[in-house]
Amino acid sequence: MPLQHLQQVSKNNPIGIFDSGIGGLTVANAIASKLPLEDFIYFGDTAHLPYGDKSSDAICYYSLRITRFLIEKGCKMIVIACNSASATASKVLHEFYGKEIPIINVIDPLVNYVVDHNYQKIGVIATKVTTQSNIYPSKIHALNPNIDVRPLATPLLVPMIEEGFISNNISKSILENYLSNEMFTDIEALVLACTHFPLLKPAIKAYFNEKIDILDSTDVVLTEIENTLEKYGLKSEHRAQPHQFYVSDFTESFEKTTKIFYKEEIHLEHAAIW
Ligand code: DGL
């Protein structure tokens, strides 16, 4: 059955992406470079950042409102570019909007990757809410109960990244503190289960002396986006407008950090949806 909202939008309409802050820009960057004909609208819910220490109910409420905003802006697909929202709100978003528009989360493609690549012992670093949801162990074990999954909440990393602390003494010392946990001594791979964390990938690789695989969702999510666009006949034929960036609260540090991580010049707009 065709999805309802899609009957009103053209294939050249933008993809809607959201996260609590700049983390989802790792996905937006990948779309901009690998799917150059696609426009997107990015929403950073800076008024509620970080999501990692919020309740599931609060994150569901925020995610529903943001999704409605993106649908009203004419988006043809929603990408939940946030593990915390994917872990807690994916189900409710599908219940409310799944008949209208395709919705992609960042967890399922990464879980499938881990299982398909036969890892036996993996570490997972994530926000508190993602860790407490137990989503990675439960989804991985549903496909292969023999994989040893070791999750650790690393709540200081998101505020640190939002402040632009990516490769200085403070970020190095906080990372070392988390990564030296003995649960990670014999892992084959570490899953970066937060879309902010790819920004720390070089530092994490260096910590492990490049000896283990560091997995993040960027590439696998991009493949999922492409497959879904294909499935619904939504692949854009040309760029129609510049990418748009909205935040729910305008902060200088967000603007500054965004400029460092997003490769094109961007203009942030305040969306007063709360
Ligand atoms: N980038 C998010 C995630 O993937 C958000 C983290 C947060 O706001 O705490 O979980």
Side-chain angles (χ1 to χ4, degrees), residues 19-20 23-24 49-53 81-85 127 130 158 193-196:
D19 179 47
S20 58
L49 176 94
Y51 276 7
D53 59 11
C82 170
N83 279 262
S84 307
T127 63
T130 302
V158 168
C194 172
T195 51
H196 281 68

Side-chain angles (χ1 to χ4, degrees), residues 50-184:
Y51 276 7
D53 59 11
K54 302 290 182 303
S55 67
S56 297
D57 283 354
I59 300 171
C60 285
Y61 173 74
Y62 306 148
S63 302
L64 282 165
R65 179 67 189 94
I66 296 165
T67 300
R68 182 149 61 85
F69 172 84
L70 293 170
I71 290 176
E72 284 167 3
K73 288 269 169 206
C75 291
K76 62 182 175 185
M77 174 197 278
I78 303 294
V79 181
I80 313 170
C82 170
N83 279 262
S84 307
S86 296
T88 54
S90 194
K91 194 162 166 263
V92 88
L93 287 183
H94 278 277
E95 279 164 15
F96 272 78
Y97 295 113
K99 287 204 176 75
E100 292 189 38
I101 190 166
I103 302 169
I104 288 179
N105 71 72
V106 286
I107 295 178
D108 290 324
L110 197 46
V111 163
N112 291 335
Y113 184 91
V114 166
V115 173
D116 291 348
H117 285 75
N118 287 323
Y119 291 109
Q120 295 306 309
K121 269 184 215 153
I122 60 156
V124 178
I125 53 171
T127 63
K128 278 194 224 167
V129 79
T130 302
T131 308
Q132 281 157 7
S133 73
N134 206 37
I135 191 116
Y136 277 87
S138 65
K139 283 192 180 250
I140 290 171
H141 290 155
L143 298 171
N144 180 348
N146 298 321
I147 301 176
D148 182 353
V149 187
R150 303 173 184 174
L152 179 71
T154 56
L156 290 179
L157 299 186
V158 168
M160 178 183 103
I161 294 166
E162 290 282 332
E163 281 304 318
F165 284 34
I166 306 296
S167 60
N168 60 18
N169 288 345
I170 293 170
S171 62
K172 206 167 161 223
S173 136
I174 293 176
L175 261 183
E176 273 179 19
N177 201 287
Y178 286 135
L179 301 179
S180 61
N181 191 303
E182 62 178 35
M183 71 163 81
F184 295 150

